[in-house]
Amino acid sequence: MASDLTRIALLGATGSIGRQALEIVDAHADLEIVALTSGSQPLDELAARHRVRHVQVGGDPTEILDRSEPDLVLNAVVGFAGVGATLWALERGVTLALANKESLVAAGDLALAAWRRGGGLLLPVDSEHSAVFQCLEGRAPEAIDSLVLTASGGPFRNHSLAALESVSVEEALAHPTWSMGPKVTIDSATLANKGLELIEAHYLFELPYEMIDVVVHPTSVVHGLVRFRDGAALAHVGYPDMRVPISYALTYPERRATSVPALDLTAPLSLEFEPPDSERFPLLPLARQAGERGGTYPCAFNAANEVAVAAFLDGRIGFLEIAPLVEDALEHADGGAVNDLFELVEADLDARRLAEGRLAPAA
Ligand SMILES: NC(=O)c1ccc[n+]([C@@H]2O[C@H](COP(=O)([O-])OP(=O)(O)OC[C@H]3O[C@@H](n4cnc5c(N)ncnc54)[C@H](OP(=O)(O)O)[C@@H]3O)[C@@H](O)[C@H]2O)c1
């Protein structure tokens, strides 16, 4: 007899998404964690609390996936380190709840091919993509006019270029609407995050870049929209709280209750939108270019951005030095097609080495 339990491998359990996912799992008796991973933090306490046998700190997460045989992989690892797990799940047709956008950006073509072979479900956890996924459900592709991803604009939405010169790490980490891990928070401040999400959306929904728009929406109440050919637009609206898209992915196709309150329409609700500013936030147009050019460019964008964000967080470079490092890596990327994981890892390493080489030695 088939089990009613969904056996979940939670990769990146110690992170912001990982911790919120554990909260969702705790609320549902039919969700079971069978594997937990982290990058370096110990997992003994979490494993004991959730009675999880398969635990892995660091290393290749596909090993624990082979051992634990989950029904669903929640990939909440940060960065390129999540690529192997994304490809593992897609290849085998195991349901993938994907928070790790970097894997779809860097390995988009490989991931699409693996998804087609595996034939499983790919459920976005990123709030904008979960929103668009829900607006698109049951619609024919030819009915779509375009997708719109919303961006809060981050903490520096109203900063001049001159003011951006001297922003501190602490200021960049103070996101106005979302509470997230440090890498994605810095990416939100530079708008690289929206660039990564643009490429992620291209692969997830298999739509050309010209059909995907980005708008700044400071209150983050509208998470995403789909415009249809008849002139209608469907929007996904709610308070910015990642437990909603995490819960949706873990309990799909149901829509289970969460502790997130229903939208209160008696309180003031701001629905303002504005175009993103390419001059102050050049990583967004750079990501679009990288995505449109394809091949190794998205991988190089991601790799150099990871190096630059880590250097900013370590105080080695200023905020405005992040984008030039990425631009430089894109100028030097060969842009060729990626045929396998080996070539992808090489492209990632090349861009990392180049970006690292441009950094001043650590003090
Ligand atoms: N946080 C959000 O609200 C949010 C929203 C949308 C999308 N996302 C995406 O979700 C992903 C996770 O974000 P987050 O904010 O949860 O990040 P986070 O708080 O920094 O957590 C990252 C997790 O990944 C693990 N990890 C780091 N390096 C690793 C490695 N080399 N190998 C294996 N595991 C590693 C960390 O383990 P340690 O604790 O041991 O370092 C931690 O468990 C990112 O791709 C992000 O863009 C996040």
Side-chain angles (χ1 to χ4, degrees), residues 10-343:
L10 175 52
L11 313 181
T14 48
S16 163
I17 295 286
R19 289 191 305 272
Q20 293 177 86
L22 286 169
E23 192 186 313
I24 306 289
V25 169
D26 283 346
H28 301 294
D30 59 347
L31 301 182
E32 182 192 17
I33 301 284
V34 294
L36 289 171
T37 77
S38 70
S40 58
Q41 289 195 63
L43 287 166
D44 304 339
E45 214 182 298
L46 270 189
R49 196 177 330 137
H50 295 272
R51 293 194 290 279
V52 181
R53 200 154 53 91
H54 300 285
V55 170
Q56 189 174 311
V57 177
D60 176 4
T62 62
E63 288 169 19
I64 198 172
L65 295 174
D66 282 333
R67 275 186 277 131
S68 59
E69 298 181 345
D71 303 316
L72 183 152
V73 175
L74 172 48
N75 188 351
V77 170
V78 63
F80 188 83
V83 164
T86 286
L87 295 177
W88 185 97
L90 292 175
E91 191 72 56
R92 285 161 184 75
V94 173
T95 300
L96 175 63
L98 185 66
N100 175 257
K101 64 192 85 182
E102 295 92 342
S103 56
L104 209 51
V105 169
D109 294 328
L110 294 182
L112 271 194
W115 188 16
R116 289 199 185 105
R117 286 191 296 269
L121 275 175
L122 172 47
L123 301 167
V125 170
D126 232 333
S127 62
E128 297 78 359
H129 303 71
S130 177
V132 166
F133 179 84
Q134 293 174 54
C135 293
L136 281 174
E137 272 188 311
R139 312 285 160 183
E142 58 273 19
I144 304 165
D145 173 82
S146 51
L147 314 183
V148 184
L149 305 176
T150 54
S152 71
F156 307 136
R157 181 171 59 91
N158 293 319
H159 277 48
S160 65
L161 253 187
L164 286 176
E165 189 83 52
S166 56
V167 293
S168 67
V169 171
E170 291 68 32
E171 288 170 311
L173 284 174
H175 195 278
T177 52
W178 294 100
S179 165
M180 311 179 285
K183 196 262 177 181
V184 60
T185 306
I186 301 304
D187 284 346
S188 298
T190 62
L191 289 201
N193 183 50
K194 220 42 63 176
L196 294 170
E197 290 182 2
L198 175 70
I199 301 173
E200 181 187 14
H202 163 77
Y203 285 111
L204 266 178
F205 305 115
E206 299 188 64
L207 289 173
Y209 286 96
E210 62 266 23
M211 287 176 72
I212 312 171
D213 293 337
V214 172
V215 295
V216 172
H217 168 50
T219 51
S220 306
V221 172
V222 177
H223 304 127
L225 299 97
V226 180
R227 299 188 192 105
F228 291 96
R229 64 181 169 189
D230 61 356
L234 295 187
H236 183 287
V237 183
Y239 295 118
D241 192 315
M242 285 307 295
R243 288 172 299 178
V244 177
I246 296 170
S247 175
Y248 189 75
L250 295 185
T251 66
Y252 179 84
E254 293 181 47
R255 192 183 282 279
R256 300 264 183 101
T258 71
S259 52
V260 178
L263 195 65
D264 179 2
L265 294 173
T266 63
L269 189 65
S270 163
L271 292 182
E272 285 170 14
F273 302 93
E274 63 195 43
D277 181 337
S278 302
E279 199 194 337
R280 288 178 301 139
F281 302 104
L283 284 164
L284 177 56
L286 278 175
R288 189 178 278 280
Q289 272 168 32
E292 283 169 350
R293 293 166 85 183
T296 55
Y297 287 113
C299 176
F301 177 95
N302 178 66
N305 183 56
E306 285 190 29
V307 170
V309 170
F312 173 71
L313 285 168
D314 286 348
R316 296 174 68 192
I317 61 172
F319 187 80
L320 287 183
E321 290 171 276
I322 298 174
L325 273 182
V326 177
E327 191 169 13
D328 188 47
L330 289 173
E331 273 164 21
H332 288 85
D334 71 15
V338 180
N339 296 302
D340 54 34
L341 187 55
F342 177 79
E343 288 181 12

